[in-house]
Amino acid sequence: MSDASIKVMQLLDELEDILETASKVPFSDKAIVDSEEISQIISDIRLSMPKDIQQAQWVKDEQDRIINEAKAEYDKVIVAAKKQAEYLVETDVIKREAEKRARAVIAEAESHGRYMKLRSYEYIDKMLYDMQNEIAKLATDYIQPMNDHFTEMLNGINTQVNSNRQEMRDMAERIQSREAASDDRYASYGEDEE
């Protein structure tokens, strides 16, 4: 288990300790906790999470940057092609040659633009694929153990609540038994006097 995992588990244990030792609200299963202390622990958990999660925004920004660069390059080539075409259009022969060259330049620019887009998509796809693998690893290494820990903690709380409920039921039954016994004594006492 990595240092980050150990730190996260320690913070979760600290959070659990706070909940277990917190003062209880009378006649309910709610607890009184210091919200600033809880917020600080949650903040520490976020800071202790692996850097892979923080890279998600960077990948998105990188994707936007690559696409914008490809578009800017495409636009530059198109503008250059149009300028070159306008310059060459002085005579009919030159005009026809210019149109032919302009089409070739535009086709080349479009081909280059498609190539740049394809390369940027491939790069982004690889980044996203790597991130998927990291997220899957993160889920296995961190999220599942935390989920198991929370489930175990909640099961323990539920068991304690059930135990408390049973204790209350037992106390109520004892009181009812005493009242019934007391009523029986009074009833038999009244019959003896007659």
Side-chain angles (χ1 to χ4, degrees):
M1 189 177 281
S2 70
D3 290 344
S5 298
I6 292 169
K7 179 68 174 168
V8 168
M9 294 308 286
Q10 288 171 342
L11 290 168
L12 288 171
D13 288 340
E14 187 177 333
L15 190 60
E16 185 177 23
D17 288 343
I18 289 170
L19 290 174
E20 287 176 356
T21 60
S23 301
K24 304 294 182 200
V25 175
F27 307 111
S28 79
D29 58 353
K30 302 201 182 309
I32 300 170
V33 294
D34 182 354
S35 62
E36 287 182 24
E37 186 177 10
I38 298 293
S39 294
Q40 181 61 45
I41 291 172
I42 291 170
S43 177
D44 291 345
I45 289 172
R46 283 194 179 113
L47 291 173
S48 297
M49 294 302 282
K51 298 295 180 205
D52 296 337
I53 292 175
Q54 298 170 9
Q55 286 182 348
Q57 183 61 44
W58 178 85
V59 169
K60 183 187 178 306
D61 294 343
E62 188 68 10
Q63 173 187 5
D64 292 344
R65 183 189 66 76
I66 291 169
I67 289 172
N68 287 337
E69 283 180 7
K71 186 179 182 306
E73 181 69 24
Y74 173 81
D75 290 344
K76 269 200 262 183
V77 172
I78 294 297
V79 167
K82 286 181 181 177
K83 284 183 181 177
Q84 187 177 7
E86 289 170 3
Y87 174 78
L88 295 175
V89 180
E90 291 178 12
T91 64
D92 285 342
V93 173
I94 294 175
K95 182 179 177 183
R96 282 193 293 274
E97 185 63 26
E99 287 173 349
K100 182 179 174 184
R101 296 260 336 248
R103 283 192 298 272
V105 169
I106 289 171
E108 183 179 336
E110 289 173 346
S111 175
H112 182 68
R114 283 191 299 272
Y115 173 78
M116 290 296 290
K117 281 183 184 179
L118 181 61
R119 294 294 295 165
S120 66
Y121 291 151
E122 287 172 353
Y123 174 75
I124 291 165
D125 182 60
K126 174 152 183 6
M127 293 287 292
L128 293 173
Y129 175 79
D130 291 344
M131 189 166 51
Q132 275 181 316
N133 289 335
E134 288 298 322
I135 288 171
K137 184 178 184 311
L138 186 70
T140 301
D141 293 349
Y142 297 98
I143 305 302
Q144 188 59 46
M146 281 192 290
N147 188 32
D148 292 345
H149 183 73
F150 279 127
T151 300
E152 183 180 320
M153 182 175 72
L154 291 174
N155 285 339
I157 291 169
N158 192 36
T159 300
Q160 184 63 44
V161 168
N162 280 335
S163 173
N164 291 343
R165 287 182 63 212
Q166 185 60 48
E167 187 178 334
M168 290 292 118
R169 280 193 230 116
D170 292 343
M171 288 172 64
E173 285 177 13
R174 284 195 298 272
I175 290 171
Q176 284 179 341
S177 295
R178 285 185 199 144
E179 285 179 5
S182 177
D183 288 346
D184 287 346
R185 269 187 276 141
Y186 287 126
S188 66
Y189 177 74
E191 289 173 4
D192 290 342
E193 287 184 349
E194 292 177 3

